Every structure is written in C-alpha cells, then in structure tokens.
Amino acid sequence: TRSGSGAMGGSASLIPRELLGEYQELTFLSKQEILLAYKRFSELLPKEERDNAWSARVPKSQILTLPELRANPFQHRICHVFSTSEAGDDSMSFEDFLDMLSVFSDSATSDIKSHYAFRIFDFDDDGTLDRKDLEQLVNCLTGQGEESRLSSAEMEQLIQNILEESDIDRDGTINLSEFQHVVSRSPDF
C-alpha cells in the first residue's frame, strides 16, 4: 500500500487544480463545496477507482443511495436528466454530479432551477408537459399507495386546473416559458 494516501485526504482526494477553477466558474458552488462533492462522489466508487474519481462514472444504483435522493419522488428522473451517459444507463460522471448539486444549491438562480425542474417533470422528454406528464407528476407527489392515490375524477380535475393556470396559448400542454411564468409567480418554488 502507498503510505499517506488513505481515505483521509492524501493524494486520493485531489481534483487537478485547473479543473477546480473551471468547476467554480461553471457551477454555483464554492471551492469548499466542490471539494466536499468530490469526496462524496469518490466514496460512491469502489476503492480501486477512487484515485481517478474525476474521470470515473458512478452507476445510477449508487447515486440513488445518497440521502438527498433516497427520499426524492423524482430520483429516477433526476438521474436521467443530469446523466450524460452515452450508454443511456443514467450513470454519472463527477461533472454530472456537480451539475446536479449546483442546480439544487441555494445559490442557483430560479431560472436555472425551473429549467431543470421542467426537464425532470417532462417524463417523455418531448419538450412539453402534456396530460400524461402531469399525471405522472401528480402520482409522484401524492405517492403510489392505494390510500393516497387520486381517483380518476380528482386527477382529471387537478390536471384541468393546472392547465387552466399555466397553458397560456391553450394548446393543451405546458411549454418551458409557460412553466417558468407560473414558477416566477410562486416565490417558494
């Protein structure tokens, strides 16, 4: 074993310096937050891959073990939207991971947050929120249990209300700018 590069710091936990500066410019995260993110990311990797965590990919199953995502009803969509995996397996590189943390950080602008929220809610990735997307969205929020599920009449009424509120051009779907308009009127979003 190489002395001095244990899990507590050492050479294993270093991001190449030029990347660190770049990450600060490209995200809403501070240097400290980026270093902490790197530590958390590398801990999701098998020990033998940790030395080069900045060039490794973490499988979706590992990303989903993070406490922030474990209880999130949109965990699968979040992995999907932030993953740049060519294989389409929703695995994450360190840069994907940073993007995700950056968007969810308090410093991210509401425009950025709403843009990603829109993509997460767009379950079929077609660039609009249609009735089907809205139904899945509501199901995610109310939980899948029998007792918490809405009846089809309640669901219909709710989707009607959402479209009434948001679908400005009345085409039966919500596009990004309509979504951002609604969000801009709800400050606690």
Side-chain angles (χ1 to χ4, degrees):
T1 64
R2 279 162 302 138
S3 60
S5 70
M8 299 303 297
S11 63
S13 62
L14 292 179
I15 301 177
R17 181 160 297 151
E18 64 280 7
L19 280 180
L20 189 57
E22 205 177 303
Y23 292 153
Q24 277 178 270
E25 282 172 37
L26 295 174
T27 65
F28 294 98
L29 304 169
S30 68
K31 186 175 170 177
Q32 278 322 104
E33 290 172 317
I34 292 168
L35 292 170
L36 183 60
Y38 189 72
K39 182 177 184 300
R40 293 190 66 192
F41 184 79
S42 55
E43 284 166 358
L44 296 171
L45 286 164
K47 289 212 169 24
E48 62 278 7
E49 287 181 44
R50 288 183 188 169
D51 279 0
N52 295 338
W54 52 276
S55 61
R57 296 196 75 85
V58 166
K60 175 182 177 178
S61 56
Q62 279 300 100
I63 299 287
L64 292 176
T65 64
L66 293 164
E68 295 87 336
L69 282 181
R70 214 177 292 150
N72 191 308
F74 302 102
Q75 44 172 241
H76 296 288
R77 289 294 304 160
I78 291 169
C79 287
H80 181 69
V81 164
F82 287 98
S83 169
T84 56
S85 166
E86 304 274 310
D89 58 8
D90 295 351
S91 63
M92 283 195 194
S93 65
F94 178 57
E95 295 186 1
D96 297 343
F97 187 68
L98 269 191
D99 276 340
M100 175 179 76
L101 293 181
S102 177
V103 168
F104 287 110
S105 77
D106 294 338
S107 332
T109 64
S110 61
D111 250 16
I112 296 269
K113 284 184 187 294
S114 59
H115 171 83
Y116 278 95
F118 181 83
R119 288 185 54 199
I120 289 164
F121 300 160
D122 179 14
F123 288 87
D124 56 10
D125 295 316
D126 69 351
T128 64
L129 306 186
D130 55 23
R131 303 182 82 91
K132 225 177 162 63
D133 291 321
L134 295 173
E135 195 166 319
Q136 276 183 272
L137 173 56
V138 172
N139 281 334
C140 275
L141 291 172
T142 55
Q144 300 295 328
E146 284 306 300
E147 62 291 336
S148 56
R149 247 217 172 104
L150 297 183
S151 71
S152 48
E154 291 168 325
M155 178 68 85
E156 185 47 46
Q157 188 54 58
L158 184 54
I159 289 177
Q160 242 355 90
N161 295 350
I162 295 172
L163 288 170
E164 281 293 302
E165 274 295 289
S166 326
D167 179 17
I168 298 165
D169 62 12
R170 295 282 172 250
D171 68 348
T173 66
I174 301 167
N175 62 33
L176 177 61
S177 62
E178 289 169 333
F179 182 76
Q180 289 187 313
H181 179 70
V182 172
V183 168
S184 67
R185 295 181 314 183
S186 30
D188 53 351
F189 179 80

